[in-house]
Amino acid sequence: MVLQFFKSSYAKVKSALSRARSFFGEKIKSLFQGKIDEAALEKLEQFLYEVDFGVQTSKELTNKIRQLQKENPSLKPDDYYSALRSHLVSLLSRYPSALVQIPEEKLPLVILIVGVNGNGKTTSVAKLSYLLKQGNQKVLVAAADTFRAAAIEQLETWAHRLNIDIVKGTPQSDPAAVAFDALQAAKARKCDAVIVDTAGRLHTKIPLMQELEKIRRSCSKASSGGPHEVLLVLDATTGQNAIDQAKQFHKFTPLTGIILTKLDGTAKGGIVAAIQQELGIPVKFIGTGEQIDDIQPFDPQTFVDNLFE
Ligand SMILES: Nc1nc2c(ncn2[C@@H]2O[C@H](COP(=O)(O)OP(=O)(O)O)[C@@H](O)[C@H]2O)c(=O)[nH]1
Ligand SMILES: [Mg+2]
């Protein structure tokens, strides 16, 4: 599977993070202007927490600076600032963010997209199809959100625009059956990837979460080792609640990665680190706007560079 062509666009990430940069970046800079003493470190930890890094990551990052200061009390504020940046990059690089690779004979790659209503699932299915198509991959999408007719139409419109195949169910039909049919069709048409859209569901509603498990099993029956990716779509503007969503989804349907959408709509951005650190699940893609090409593979260095300056 040739997916290594994905490259993060610096300009796209820069533009998406402009709100976060002007809030987070500016504040961090000012925190690192004076003397780095215990009071400053406390302020730093509090600020990181406020911009969604979560308790654990805020502590870890602050402790790193505290330790540095103990070992080298003569460092300049700039040195601490650079240390924070580079530690954040290495912290975000702990989990591989590339899509899984599978051998040719196991194609198509099956990607199941799950998440709460309105987080950007259907849009992300379209964006991901676009990315794959850019890399000359033959993609088929499955409209397995049979809950609302509008959801099927929404994906159909995208598929039409992108000129890719779609397999859809009728409204209220069994989403697991739609996924099964889509996978069969994709195999017959020798597709490289199938992306399955699903209905939005609240992570607190057990029967809906069990339905997701049924869709997953259906993908597994109709494919070779699939679903190879189960990607949870999270809205970056929901802050810490995103962690709870991820925990619940992960419990019912083991996740392989996160698509973090709407980063263009938040002034915070720390949630990227909190998700990876607290759940051990990598952020694989970020949503940077509403257009079809507003998706980027997550690249820690590009992300941190654009968050800080
Ligand atoms: N600004 C912004 N809007 C997004 C992004 N991703 C999705 N959206 C918007 O979020 C809304 C809900 O998206 P949709 O894909 O229908 O969500 P779903 O219910 O999870 O399928 C739509 O208006 C999308 O255009 C993103 O990365 N940035
Ligand atoms: Mg949808």
Side-chain angles (χ1 to χ4, degrees):
M1 186 78 179
V2 273
L3 292 172
Q4 301 303 357
F5 51 83
F6 287 158
K7 259 188 90 58
S8 185
S9 152
Y10 202 84
K12 280 255 172 221
V13 179
K14 181 168 184 158
S15 135
L17 289 180
S18 68
R19 288 183 65 182
R21 184 168 51 250
S22 63
F23 179 68
F24 174 88
E26 289 305 311
K27 183 78 196 257
I28 280 284
K29 240 181 230 154
S30 74
L31 279 174
F32 280 90
Q33 247 145 34
K35 191 171 171 335
I36 307 296
D37 54 13
E38 193 48 39
L41 288 168
E42 272 168 29
K43 266 194 210 160
L44 172 68
E45 183 171 338
Q46 178 62 27
F47 176 67
L48 291 172
Y49 180 73
E50 279 165 19
V51 291
D52 288 343
F53 276 88
V55 178
Q56 194 186 320
T57 313
S58 304
K59 262 200 176 35
E60 181 177 340
L61 288 169
T62 310
N63 280 341
K64 202 78 190 175
I65 303 298
R66 186 175 280 120
Q67 188 190 345
L68 190 66
Q69 189 233 25
K70 271 198 194 124
E71 289 164 3
N72 309 283
S74 58
L75 286 180
K76 296 194 176 48
D78 257 5
D79 301 324
Y80 293 112
Y81 176 80
S82 311
L84 180 72
R85 274 179 71 151
S86 62
H87 189 63
L88 185 53
V89 174
S90 68
L91 186 139
L92 289 172
S93 308
R94 279 179 195 161
Y95 303 95
S97 55
L99 273 183
V100 64
Q101 304 272 312
I102 60 167
E104 287 283 327
E105 67 271 16
K106 293 206 166 167
L107 291 175
L109 182 84
V110 180
I111 306 174
L112 181 61
I113 303 290
V114 303
V116 165
N117 219 5
N119 276 7
K121 288 180 301 301
T122 306
T123 315
S124 296
V125 169
K127 288 172 172 179
L128 211 47
S129 306
Y130 166 83
L131 260 193
L132 289 164
K133 206 176 166 217
Q134 292 286 95
N136 292 322
Q137 303 293 297
K138 189 170 176 201
V139 187
L140 181 144
V141 290
D145 176 357
T146 54
F147 200 64
R148 291 176 309 128
I152 301 173
E153 284 158 24
Q154 186 188 355
L155 193 58
E156 225 174 357
T157 307
W158 280 118
H160 188 69
R161 256 189 248 169
L162 289 166
N163 195 22
I164 55 172
D165 287 356
I166 179 168
V167 168
K168 53 179 183 166
T170 48
Q172 311 309 323
S173 63
D174 177 11
V178 178
F180 190 88
D181 289 348
L183 264 59
Q184 298 288 45
K187 275 192 282 187
R189 296 175 207 177
K190 303 215 177 317
C191 291
D192 297 299
V194 186
I195 310 177
V196 183
D197 190 21
T198 59
R201 60 200 75 232
L202 264 185
H203 51 297
T204 47
K205 294 272 192 299
I206 308 285
L208 286 179
M209 296 304 281
Q210 286 165 340
E211 182 192 77
L212 204 53
E213 181 48 27
K214 195 176 158 210
I215 301 174
R216 203 189 65 80
R217 279 201 308 271
S218 179
C219 289
S220 140
K221 257 188 257 158
S223 69
S224 186
H228 307 96
E229 292 276 7
V230 180
L231 301 180
L232 174 69
V233 179
L234 289 176
D235 176 340
T237 66
T238 53
Q240 289 299 307
N241 184 256
I243 305 280
D244 296 334
Q245 290 179 23
K247 277 187 186 152
Q248 284 300 319
F249 273 92
H250 196 44
K251 203 167 93 186
F252 283 92
T253 311
L255 305 169
T256 59
I258 307 284
I259 301 181
L260 190 63
T261 62
K262 311 189 196 183
L263 264 172
D264 51 310
T266 178
K268 298 181 172 180
I271 197 70
V272 169
I275 289 168
Q276 301 212 149
Q277 291 312 104
E278 289 182 35
L279 305 162
I281 304 168
V283 172
K284 296 207 168 180
F285 295 93
I286 53 175
T288 58
E290 293 194 90
Q291 304 304 314
I292 192 72
D293 59 347
D294 284 329
I295 185 166
Q296 293 295 316
F298 178 62
D299 174 56
Q301 185 74 54
T302 308
F303 183 84
V304 172
D305 284 352
N306 285 301
L307 192 60
F308 276 68
E309 60 189 34

